[in-house]
Amino acid sequence: MNIFKQFIKSLYSPKDIAQYRFQGIGKTILYVFFLTFLSIIPSLIYFSTALINGMDAIQNSVKTELPSFIIENGELQADLDAPKIINKEDFTILFDPTGTVGHKEVSNSNNTIALLKNEALIIAGGQTQSFSYSMVQDFTLTNDDLETLLASVESSLPIITPLIAVVIYIVAASMKFIEISFLALIGLLIQKLMEVNMQYRHTWRVAAYSVTLPTVFFTIMDSLRTLVPNGAIINWFVALIILLLVIKEIPRLEKK
């Protein structure tokens, strides 16, 4: 059975998922990569669209609306007593040399570029990319430098966007593997309580398919740009319920 048929079956059939415990690990890993790619498609679309559409607005704002500033010795310096917020049509620029706004406050925003006291953030399509000024030794940046940099970035977007997409995919895949590995550990406990003959490699395989339904649900919500309250809890709850139903489909050990 190919991964596309497995994908459909994994949405509704714990019995079929139970049969996948015997398949090769390579096919299961391939399925995880496929599921990860599917899950980040909405984020990649929104991120690339926001990045491209917002570049012109950002360049104009830097020229006309931002005060004179300099980034030196790992800090943003400007003659401002409070953060400055510039709202555009689909984008927001946050300029804060005061240190009032932190990383956590900005990470909850949508389509935002933030120049904070110690770092710069780009939030688009639900993804956050950060750059600490202190990462580069002797890093200095002024208004004119930023204008030149933005012009260079705009011309390089056809190269930069795919590279960022690859980074997002690698991070998302890593998180998915961690999620599945932890779920498989819980599966070991469940199978012992239910007296089912499974080893970790079996629970890992079925756990990989058990996350299909919650992953698809949150992918749809992301495509609709709808925030699900307590999303992480719902994700784990649904995956655990499916894993439990899968393990129930596996024959129990015969008692001697």
Side-chain angles (χ1 to χ4, degrees):
M1 186 182 296
N2 62 45
I3 61 173
F4 300 105
K5 289 182 179 179
Q6 288 183 327
F7 171 72
I8 299 299
K9 292 284 188 180
S10 298
L11 291 172
Y12 66 88
S13 178
K15 185 175 182 179
D16 283 286
I17 295 176
Q19 300 302 316
Y20 303 154
R21 70 188 187 276
F22 296 120
Q23 74 176 14
I25 188 63
K27 188 172 184 180
T28 307
I29 290 174
L30 178 62
Y31 182 82
V32 175
F33 279 118
F34 163 74
L35 194 62
T36 302
F37 176 74
L38 186 70
S39 69
I40 65 170
I41 288 176
S43 296
L44 291 181
I45 292 174
Y46 286 128
F47 180 84
S48 57
T49 302
L51 196 60
I52 293 170
N53 293 341
M55 192 55 65
D56 288 336
I58 295 166
Q59 286 179 296
N60 291 332
S61 297
V62 169
K63 290 179 181 179
T64 61
E65 299 183 61
L66 284 187
S68 297
F69 70 88
I70 183 171
I71 297 174
E72 194 173 28
N73 298 323
E75 285 191 358
L76 172 64
Q77 302 169 30
D79 189 16
L80 278 181
D81 296 326
K84 183 179 180 65
I85 299 175
I86 303 170
N87 291 312
K88 295 297 180 181
E89 203 169 305
D90 296 314
F91 228 93
T92 299
I93 298 175
L94 174 61
F95 185 81
D96 179 28
T98 66
T100 304
V101 181
H103 186 114
K104 289 185 178 180
E105 292 90 336
V106 182
S107 60
N108 295 324
S109 307
N110 285 322
N111 297 340
T112 301
I113 285 187
L115 293 176
L116 305 182
K117 187 175 182 62
N118 301 110
E119 64 179 337
L121 299 174
I122 300 176
I123 302 100
Q127 302 294 323
T128 302
Q129 305 296 322
S130 63
F131 172 78
S132 174
Y133 307 138
S134 59
M135 287 176 60
V136 181
Q137 191 175 8
D138 299 326
F139 176 72
T140 303
L141 188 75
T142 64
N143 299 62
D144 293 337
D145 296 329
L146 183 57
E147 289 179 31
T148 304
L149 178 62
L150 288 173
S152 177
V153 169
E154 185 176 30
S155 64
S156 303
L157 280 180
I159 299 173
I160 294 173
T161 304
L163 289 176
I164 294 176
V166 170
V167 172
I168 292 172
Y169 179 62
I170 291 172
V171 172
S174 301
M175 296 302 296
K176 185 63 70 177
F177 276 102
I178 292 171
E179 175 189 352
I180 291 169
S181 298
F182 187 75
L183 187 63
L185 288 173
I186 299 175
L188 274 181
L189 177 61
I190 295 174
Q191 65 90 20
K192 285 184 179 179
L193 295 175
M194 298 179 66
E195 298 181 342
V196 174
N197 185 22
M198 292 179 71
Q199 296 179 2
Y200 182 74
R201 64 177 184 271
H202 299 133
T203 60
W204 198 93
R205 288 176 174 90
V206 296
Y209 291 92
S210 297
V211 300
T212 301
L213 182 60
T215 298
V216 170
F217 170 76
F218 284 102
T219 300
I220 294 172
M221 291 298 101
D222 286 344
S223 66
L224 298 175
R225 305 184 76 174
T226 302
L227 179 64
V228 180
N230 301 314
I233 296 175
I234 294 173
N235 177 73
W236 280 101
F237 177 77
V238 175
L240 281 170
I241 292 297
I242 294 173
L243 182 61
L244 177 62
L245 294 174
V246 170
I247 295 175
K248 285 182 66 177
E249 294 291 338
I250 299 172
R252 294 190 177 189
L253 291 169
E254 294 184 5
K255 293 184 179 179
K256 295 183 180 180

